[in-house]
């Protein structure tokens, strides 16, 4: 087994991105955490001349899909077909350049996963055990993973799932949960015996210590290394690789009837089956990308998948015996949205299909904003104001402004033909030397998985161009020194050409547009990453460029406010939909009820209680008298709004002093679906003050 440490001579890369789960569309958290950094890395590796297989696909098995199918009254296949198409389209729309995007429901994946299982089974790498698993008698099925919820034994979160606590990130077994309940019926499950196969992770503990804790102590991200170390130091235990379900890949050995492969066993094998699918189509040997020690394997994932990609999958590969191991697993932390954790169930997210409706042709703006604020080492917060500032202050004011000035002046002074330069001044030499240094600087950041840092170096190159133009002022020298102006514009165009190439991993749509403006396709050879540092001329004199077009446009406050309003509306709608109905109070007798004296009344006067936020002092005509009632409704109603209101009053409630004012009764209120206070109102003609309510 090759431990596959970094080989600087490696020219073949297998780059995987976490298989998205097909029970919903993709949101910005997915892009920021996995897919944009993976795409930047893959694009860069291609630009630097490497052989790249960038692999992904839809993860289409597991309990959440069956739960969603039950709720919607459709089959699991209907669910995965729907979201596979939506997710695949989103990736294409945002320029994620997978070499292959497959799906785990494909026959090639079923065959690959079953073959992998049988290989380990025949090598006696599994432990077969009859264990007690949670069982829902009413549903007549065992409760795997997300069919169970309960209290996390680690952090006390009462909404943990049977496979993982999303609050603390701990990976769990369903039987670990405290006070478990069935997600199907809500019943308390019982324990029932069933046979399963387990991968004995404890058997691989020494290997994992050597490979990760010693071998990757210096080159893996601290957040990844730290989580893995914590797991290993806690002691590893056998992990079931099969489940009692009817949706998934059937267990291909005797005794496996009615069981499927655990989704976290079959999903990472999806990288292999997707590579096979791609290799067959492209006439390549898939084994070169998974079994050749000169291949560098890199997994891009979110932090919730670290245990599966750094402990479970490597243990599977090690047990199989012929595969390389990941050189790196540069997992990102989580992206929050406007200060709150992203939540698909609560609709607290920015969905990619919706983004493209609201911001057409502005994929690069989102890619850049997410990269510049990437959660690389800690959870970060996406805000619409920061998104606006990144666009207006960096993409528009720095990158776009430089390109626009260069292209406009070239067309204005020379009808779009790049001028012949004269002898370079010192500033020209220094500027061109600085340009040549940028590929190495950006490469260093990318190869260390510091994409945020790399994106800022790209903007620094545009800053260099702006400063050069501002210092040399060609709009002034055109009137006094035509030769000098030609040299300045020639140098500025070299910077623009460098930006066209170096921006491709980060801003692919902008790069294509800029190359079109500069007519890169008409050059003798297509510009490569290394050309920026090795060639003295990137775009030659007498080459004609096109008219300019704005690469980026300013985003106004009103546009951002619409997004904030949409989030707020989603929040309120979700709160209304999920508002729990109060349970019935303790039973009372009819005699208890007859003690309540409810009357129709009218509010005659209202004023705020001094030094309080919630209380209004009301004068109410109850039909039997006029009395003072203090009511906690000041945050929902202004005094002038309630005067004249017909209300329901409990008149025989014992008086109670509130802030020194005696309250002689209670106004009946409730809340609407939006959580707003509403009067329980007897507003019907002919219903007079003093009438009893019974």
């Amino acid at each position: 087994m090759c431990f596959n440490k970094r080989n600087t001579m490696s020219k073949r890369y297998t780059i995987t991105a976490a298989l998205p789960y097909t029970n919903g569309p993709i949101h910005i958290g997915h892009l920021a955490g996995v897919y944009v950094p993976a795409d930047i890395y893959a694009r860069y590796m291609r630009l630097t001349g490497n052989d790249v297989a960038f692999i992904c696909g839809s993860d289409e098995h597991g309990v959440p899909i069956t739960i969603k199918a039950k709720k919607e009254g459709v089959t699991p296949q209907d669910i995965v077909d729907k979201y596979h198409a939506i997710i695949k389209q989103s990736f294409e729309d945002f320029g994620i350049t997978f070499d292959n995007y497959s799906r785990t429901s494909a026959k090639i994946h079923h065959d690959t996963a079953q073959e992998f299982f049988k290989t380990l089974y025949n090598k006696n790498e599994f432990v077969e055990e009859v264990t007690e698993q949670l069982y829902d008698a009413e549903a007549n099925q065992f409760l795997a993973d997300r069919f169970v919820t309960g209290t996390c034994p680690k952090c006390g979160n009462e909404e943990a799932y049977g496979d993982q606590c999303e609050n603390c990130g701990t990976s769990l077994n369903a039987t670990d949960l405290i006070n478990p309940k069935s997600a199907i019926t809500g019943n308390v499950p019982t324990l029932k015996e069933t046979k399963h196969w387990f991968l004995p992770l404890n058997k691989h503990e020494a290997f994992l210590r050597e490979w990760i804790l010693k071998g990757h102590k210096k080159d893996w991200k601290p957040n990844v290394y730290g989580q893995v170390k914590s797991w290993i130091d806690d002691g590893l235990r056998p992990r079931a690789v099969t489940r009692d379900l009817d949706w998934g890949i059937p267990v291909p050995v005797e005794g496996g009837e009615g069981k499927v492969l655990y989704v976290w066993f079959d999903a990472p094998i999806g990288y292999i089956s997707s590579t096979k699918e791609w290799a067959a189509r492209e006439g390549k040997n898939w084994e070169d990308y998974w079994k050749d020690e000169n291949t560098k394997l890199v997994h891009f994932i979110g932090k919730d998948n670290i245990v599966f990609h750094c402990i479970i999958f490597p243990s599977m590969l090690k047990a199989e015996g012929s595969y390389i191991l990941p050189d790196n697993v540069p997992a990102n932390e989580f992206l929050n949205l406007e200060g709150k954790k992203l939540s698909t169930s609560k609709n607290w997210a920015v969905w990619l299909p919706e983004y493209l409706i609201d911001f057409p042709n502005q994929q690069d703006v989102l890619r850049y904003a997410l990269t510049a604020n990437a959660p690389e080492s800690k959870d970060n917060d996406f805000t619409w104001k920061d998104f606006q500032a990144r666009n207006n202050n960096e993409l528009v004011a720095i990158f776009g402004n430089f390109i626009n000035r260069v292209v406009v002046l070239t067309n204005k002074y020379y009808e779009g033909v790049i001028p012949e330069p004269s002898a370079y001044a010192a500033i020209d030499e220094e500027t061109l030397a600085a340009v040549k240094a940028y590929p190495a600087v950006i490469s260093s950041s990318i190869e260390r998985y510091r994409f945020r840092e790399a994106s800022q170096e790209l903007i620094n190159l545009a800053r260099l161009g702006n400063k050069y133009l501002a210092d040399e002022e060609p709009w002034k020298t055109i009137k006094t020194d035509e030769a000098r102006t030609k040299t300045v514009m020639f140098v500025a165009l070299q910077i623009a050409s460098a930006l066209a190439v170096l921006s491709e991993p980060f801003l692919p749509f902008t790069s294509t547009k800029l190359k079109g403006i500069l007519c890169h396709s008409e050059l003798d050879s297509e510009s490569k990453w290394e050309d920026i540092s090795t060639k003295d001329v990137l775009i030659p004199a007498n080459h004609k460029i096109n008219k300019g077009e704005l690469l980026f446009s300013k985003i106004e406050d009103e546009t951002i406010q619409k997004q904030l309003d949409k989030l707020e509306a989603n929040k309120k709608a979700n709160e209304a939909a999920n508002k729990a109905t109060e349970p019935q109070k303790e039973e009372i007798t009819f005699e208890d009820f007859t003690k309540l004296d409810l009357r129709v009344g009218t509010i005659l006067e209202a004023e705020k209680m001094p030094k309080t936020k919630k209380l209004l002092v009301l004068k109410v005509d109850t039909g039997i008298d006029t009395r003072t009632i203090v009511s906690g409704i000041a945050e929902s109603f202004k005094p002038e709004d309630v005067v004249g209101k017909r209300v329901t009053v409990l008149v025989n409630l014992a008086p109670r002093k509130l802030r020194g004012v005696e309250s002689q009764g209670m106004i009946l209120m409730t809340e609407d679906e939006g959580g707003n206070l509403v009067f329980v109102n007897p507003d019907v003609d002919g219903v007079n003050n003093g009438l009893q309510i019974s």
Side-chain angles (χ1 to χ4, degrees):
M1 172 58 63
C2 171
F3 284 5
N4 201 35
K5 281 193 169 184
R6 177 173 170 77
N7 178 358
T8 55
M9 299 300 291
S10 177
K11 293 294 182 183
R12 187 188 298 117
Y13 289 80
T14 300
I15 302 167
T16 72
L19 307 187
Y21 206 57
T22 45
N23 65 340
I26 295 289
H27 57 59
I28 59 170
H30 301 122
L31 269 193
V34 178
Y35 304 108
V36 166
D39 187 61
I40 291 171
Y41 190 76
R43 285 176 177 271
Y44 163 75
M45 284 301 169
R46 293 190 195 104
L47 278 169
T48 51
N50 294 293
D51 178 6
V52 171
F54 184 21
I55 300 299
C56 194
S58 292
D59 181 1
E60 299 182 334
H61 299 134
V63 173
I65 286 166
T66 60
I67 291 176
K68 194 174 188 75
K70 284 177 185 290
K71 285 182 179 178
E72 296 189 11
V74 297
T75 67
Q77 191 66 50
D78 291 330
I79 295 294
V80 299
D81 286 347
K82 173 184 176 180
Y83 288 112
H84 171 75
I86 291 171
I87 291 168
K88 189 170 185 288
Q89 187 61 53
S90 288
F91 286 141
E92 291 172 4
D93 288 342
F94 278 85
I96 308 299
T97 54
F98 296 126
D99 289 296
N100 201 59
Y101 189 80
S102 189
R103 53 194 307 191
T104 59
S105 62
K107 183 179 185 303
I108 192 171
H109 176 67
H110 277 236
D111 292 345
T112 302
Q114 288 182 324
E115 180 185 347
F116 200 106
F117 181 90
K118 284 190 288 187
T119 298
L120 267 58
Y121 178 85
N122 291 333
K123 293 179 69 174
N124 294 315
E125 291 290 345
F126 295 132
V127 176
E128 184 180 311
E129 286 187 21
V130 174
T131 62
E132 289 187 321
Q133 299 290 323
L134 296 177
Y135 183 81
D136 187 327
E138 183 180 339
N140 191 30
Q141 72 176 75
F142 285 96
L143 300 175
D145 304 335
R146 302 216 164 192
F147 275 137
V148 191
T149 59
T151 300
C152 173
K154 287 272 187 178
C155 72
N157 171 31
E158 295 181 355
E159 298 179 353
Y161 293 111
D163 61 343
Q164 188 173 41
C165 174
E166 294 192 344
N167 183 58
C168 68
T170 299
S171 184
L172 302 167
N173 290 309
T175 50
D176 295 334
L177 293 174
I178 301 167
N179 300 322
K181 66 178 181 180
S182 168
I184 303 172
T185 63
N187 294 339
V188 175
T190 58
L191 288 170
K192 185 177 179 180
E193 287 190 344
T194 182
K195 180 177 71 175
H196 282 293
W197 288 268
F198 291 76
L199 181 67
L201 294 176
N202 48 306
K203 173 183 173 181
H204 302 288
E205 193 170 304
F207 146 70
L208 291 168
R209 283 186 180 278
E210 180 69 23
W211 173 56
I212 299 177
L213 300 190
K214 289 186 179 179
H216 287 292
K217 187 172 185 177
K218 294 183 179 178
D219 63 335
W220 279 22
K221 294 172 69 172
N223 59 316
V224 178
Y225 184 88
Q227 191 177 132
V228 172
K229 186 176 187 302
S230 175
W231 261 79
I232 295 174
D233 287 348
D234 261 358
L236 300 177
R237 299 184 299 277
R239 181 88 182 196
V241 297
T242 56
R243 288 290 187 267
D244 290 293
L245 289 171
D246 57 5
W247 175 249
I249 299 174
V251 174
V253 296
E254 186 178 348
E257 298 80 11
K259 302 179 191 296
V260 299
L261 301 182
Y262 177 34
V263 67
W264 271 113
F265 181 88
D266 101 72
I269 297 171
Y271 301 138
I272 301 169
S273 60
S274 184
T275 307
K276 285 184 177 181
E277 190 176 75
W278 166 76
R281 186 180 69 240
E282 300 297 324
K284 294 176 179 285
N285 179 6
W286 74 269
E287 291 190 341
D288 289 345
Y289 296 84
W290 281 96
K291 298 187 177 184
D292 186 332
E293 64 179 33
N294 290 317
T295 296
K296 179 175 175 178
L297 173 62
V298 182
H299 295 312
F300 283 88
I301 59 169
K303 72 175 177 181
D304 51 336
N305 292 340
I306 288 174
V307 63
F308 300 105
H309 286 76
C310 298
I311 293 180
I312 297 175
F313 190 41
S315 296
M316 291 163 54
L317 296 175
K318 177 72 162 57
E320 198 279 346
S322 67
Y323 285 82
I324 59 173
L325 298 174
D327 182 88
N328 213 313
V329 185
N332 273 355
E333 299 292 293
F334 288 151
L335 185 74
N336 296 322
L337 173 60
E338 296 291 346
K340 296 180 182 177
K341 185 177 179 180
L342 278 157
S343 172
T344 56
S345 62
K346 296 177 181 176
N347 202 18
W348 190 256
V350 178
W351 305 102
L352 300 195
E354 290 183 14
Y355 173 88
L356 285 180
I357 294 171
D358 296 340
F359 296 91
N361 302 315
Q362 291 183 280
Q363 296 96 320
D364 277 352
V365 180
L366 186 58
R367 283 180 63 121
Y368 176 74
L370 294 176
T371 304
N373 191 37
E376 291 179 348
S377 57
K378 62 181 180 61
D379 290 358
N380 266 6
D381 194 31
F382 176 91
T383 70
W384 281 110
K385 288 293 186 183
D386 179 72
F387 167 84
Q388 179 188 28
R390 295 284 184 188
N391 178 77
N392 293 355
N393 301 338
E394 295 171 23
L395 295 180
V396 174
I398 299 172
F399 194 117
N401 179 58
F402 171 68
I403 297 299
N404 186 56
R405 288 202 288 180
V406 171
V407 173
V408 167
L409 293 178
T410 303
N411 277 284
K412 180 179 179 181
Y413 299 159
Y414 312 113
E415 296 183 339
V417 178
I418 297 178
E420 289 274 5
S422 301
Y424 289 147
I427 184 64
D428 307 325
E429 299 277 10
E430 291 169 7
T431 300
L432 290 171
V435 172
K436 285 187 174 186
Y438 270 95
V441 171
I442 296 174
S443 291
S444 174
S445 296
I446 291 176
E447 291 179 13
R448 289 177 293 131
Y449 310 102
R450 297 182 179 181
F451 304 107
R452 187 169 60 196
E453 181 181 275
S455 72
Q456 297 313 292
E457 291 297 344
L458 178 72
I459 294 300
N460 284 339
L461 176 55
R463 280 194 176 94
L464 174 72
N466 274 320
K467 185 177 187 306
Y468 177 74
L469 283 183
D471 289 345
E472 298 310 301
E473 299 180 312
W475 46 87
K476 289 185 179 179
T477 60
I478 190 68
K479 301 171 186 175
T480 59
D481 191 340
E482 189 171 332
R484 178 61 190 153
T485 304
K486 288 181 178 179
T487 302
V488 169
M489 292 307 302
F490 181 83
V491 171
L493 283 155
Q494 304 311 304
I495 302 173
S497 188
L499 282 168
V501 176
L502 299 181
S503 64
E504 183 183 329
F506 311 94
L507 308 168
F509 299 93
T510 304
S511 173
T512 299
K513 192 183 293 186
L514 180 50
K515 287 176 181 176
I517 294 171
L518 298 177
C519 297
H520 265 218
S521 62
E522 297 175 18
L523 298 174
D524 291 339
S525 61
E526 187 176 345
S527 296
K528 300 180 179 65
W529 191 273
E530 65 182 18
D531 292 343
I532 312 305
S533 55
T534 60
K535 287 187 175 182
D536 292 329
V537 175
L538 300 175
I539 190 163
N542 300 314
H543 173 77
K544 194 173 191 307
I545 68 172
N546 285 322
K547 297 284 187 184
E549 57 176 311
L550 291 179
L551 298 180
F552 308 99
S553 56
K554 188 178 180 183
I555 296 175
E556 302 295 341
D557 290 346
E558 303 80 54
T559 302
I560 296 302
Q561 190 57 50
K562 285 180 182 177
Q563 296 303 317
L564 294 171
D565 292 345
K566 183 190 290 189
L567 280 177
E568 187 61 28
N570 288 347
K571 177 184 172 185
K572 288 184 176 178
N574 182 68
E575 287 174 349
N578 292 289
K579 191 171 181 62
T581 302
E582 289 292 325
Q584 177 181 301
K585 293 183 178 180
E586 185 180 344
E587 190 177 87
I588 63 172
T589 65
F590 180 75
E591 288 71 22
D592 291 330
F593 172 73
T594 59
K595 294 178 182 178
L596 300 176
D597 192 346
L598 298 169
R599 305 272 178 151
V600 177
T602 300
I603 298 174
L604 303 177
E605 299 175 16
E607 62 180 13
K608 284 283 295 286
M609 170 84 77
K611 298 181 180 179
T612 70
K613 289 183 178 180
K614 295 184 177 181
L615 301 180
L616 288 183
V617 180
L618 310 175
K619 282 281 191 293
V620 183
D621 177 359
T622 65
I624 52 177
D625 58 21
T626 297
R627 64 178 65 188
T628 298
I629 297 176
V630 179
S631 184
I633 61 174
E635 290 183 314
S636 301
F637 300 97
K638 296 177 182 176
E640 58 268 26
D641 293 338
V642 300
V643 173
K645 277 277 186 188
R646 304 290 295 283
V647 292
T648 302
V649 188
L650 177 61
V651 295
N652 65 332
L653 183 67
R656 181 185 178 194
K657 279 198 173 184
L658 295 169
R659 295 293 182 102
V661 177
E662 188 173 74
S663 181
Q664 302 166 311
M666 179 181 288
I667 307 291
L668 270 60
M669 309 290 295
T670 188
E671 290 184 356
D672 64 16
E673 290 184 349
N676 304 304
L677 285 176
V678 178
F679 289 100
V680 178
N681 224 334
D683 269 344
V684 180
D685 290 342
V687 177
N688 298 319
N689 292 347
L691 287 179
Q692 285 189 306
I693 297 170
S694 61

